Amino acid sequence: LLFAAYSKNVYPEPFEQQFDEEVNIDNTEAKFQVSLKFPLAVGLFDGRADIMAAYTNRSFWQVYNDDSAPFRDTNHEPEAWISFLNDYKILGWRNVANQAGFVHQSNGRGGDLSRSWNRVYAQFLFEKQDQLVWVKPWYRIPEDDSDDDNPDINDYMGFGEIGWSYAIKGHNITAQIRNYLESGFSKGTTQVSWSFPIPHYDHFRGYVQVFNGYGETLIDYNKQNTTIGVGVSLTDWLY
């Protein structure tokens, strides 16, 4: 939960086009994400594979807006995948798991505000001491032109991401990048987050997130933005 996330740019145009009236969007809003993961089948192939499902809800709430404090966008992301445990080592890194899955992402809206896409992906996870690295290429499943709300989304979201997470003395630093090479470095995206313990309080962790690029929210997938937010988190990649 980011209590306050400040965005350099705001884009009211999709809402004004949909509602045919001027829309006031604040640069500062709240952002929260809830992710749930659960097993569908475990211990397959002599205990080497599991089938999992998950759902992520990511919402952008104009809670400080004097007009009506609307939700600017809410992105829904159900997915399912099979994960194969591994223990191969490459240059000192242990390949702990390899995954293949399907993910749908949409904002549940209609008209000019509708955004959605479907992907199949692979993910390769590597671990070394207190570090985790993942490489996640994906392929967008094509849609009919008449049903495609965002035909150019690959131009802005790319064809995969690379991530790195590092845990040190109770702190966790995570960085994710995508679409630099594919776009010729014109539409790249970077997200960096830092979580840290809160003294005398064990139930939450402090959290700072910086985002620069495209696709933080589906409604503005093709708009460049820089956002910095401060809040709390429950869990991390490595804690």
Side-chain angles (χ1 to χ4, degrees):
L1 168 64
L2 300 181
F3 299 117
Y6 175 81
S7 295
K8 179 181 178 181
N9 302 312
V10 294
Y11 299 98
E13 293 84 3
F15 303 97
E16 293 175 344
Q17 185 175 357
Q18 174 74 10
F19 301 117
D20 195 25
E21 63 182 37
E22 185 176 348
V23 175
N24 175 36
I25 297 179
D26 288 349
N27 291 80
T28 302
E29 61 187 359
K31 173 185 175 182
F32 64 85
Q33 174 178 316
V34 177
S35 297
L36 306 172
K37 181 177 72 171
F38 49 93
L40 298 179
V42 297
L44 303 176
F45 305 109
D46 295 326
R48 304 287 297 183
D50 301 321
I51 298 177
M52 310 293 290
Y55 170 75
T56 293
N57 179 100
R58 187 179 297 109
S59 294
F60 302 81
W61 185 15
Q62 290 273 294
V63 65
Y64 308 108
N65 191 301
D66 293 332
D67 290 346
S68 62
F71 280 85
R72 182 170 61 91
D73 204 23
T74 295
N75 297 166
H76 308 277
E77 191 170 347
E79 62 180 310
W81 69 93
I82 184 168
S83 180
F84 295 93
L85 301 179
N86 207 352
D87 56 7
Y88 294 134
K89 287 190 175 181
I90 302 174
L91 300 175
W93 290 82
R94 186 165 68 94
N95 177 210
V96 293
N98 298 315
Q99 303 171 344
F102 168 84
V103 58
H104 166 80
Q105 189 179 30
S106 65
N107 65 352
R109 301 218 186 185
D112 294 323
L113 301 180
S114 178
R115 306 283 189 272
S116 68
W117 63 327
N118 298 308
R119 291 168 287 162
V120 290
Y121 66 86
Q123 184 164 237
F124 309 94
L125 294 98
F126 301 87
E127 183 182 69
K128 183 178 181 181
Q129 297 178 347
D130 295 325
Q131 299 181 76
L132 179 69
V133 168
W134 63 95
V135 180
K136 185 178 181 181
W138 59 63
Y139 170 75
R140 185 193 181 190
I141 299 174
E143 300 180 37
D144 293 336
D145 292 341
S146 59
D147 298 328
D148 197 344
D149 300 316
N150 30 249
D152 61 347
I153 195 168
N154 277 339
D155 296 339
Y156 297 91
M157 303 293 279
F159 298 93
E161 74 172 22
I162 297 174
W164 169 77
S165 190
Y166 179 46
I168 178 172
K169 297 181 179 180
H171 297 252
N172 196 162
I173 300 170
T174 301
Q176 298 160 258
I177 62 171
R178 65 170 182 260
N179 202 32
Y180 280 94
L181 294 178
E182 305 99 301
S183 68
F185 294 89
S186 64
K187 298 181 179 69
T189 293
T190 299
Q191 179 174 290
V192 178
S193 61
W194 167 43
S195 74
F196 51 91
I198 300 175
H200 312 297
Y201 195 80
D202 297 330
H203 301 293
F204 294 99
R205 296 171 57 82
Y207 190 77
V208 176
Q209 184 184 86
V210 178
F211 177 93
N212 181 70
Y214 296 81
E216 183 183 20
T217 171
L218 279 180
I219 196 67
D220 294 328
Y221 75 92
N222 57 351
K223 303 295 186 181
Q224 197 279 338
N225 209 349
T226 299
T227 302
I228 181 168
V230 179
V232 296
S233 68
L234 287 172
T235 60
D236 284 307
W237 279 94
L238 296 176
Y239 280 109

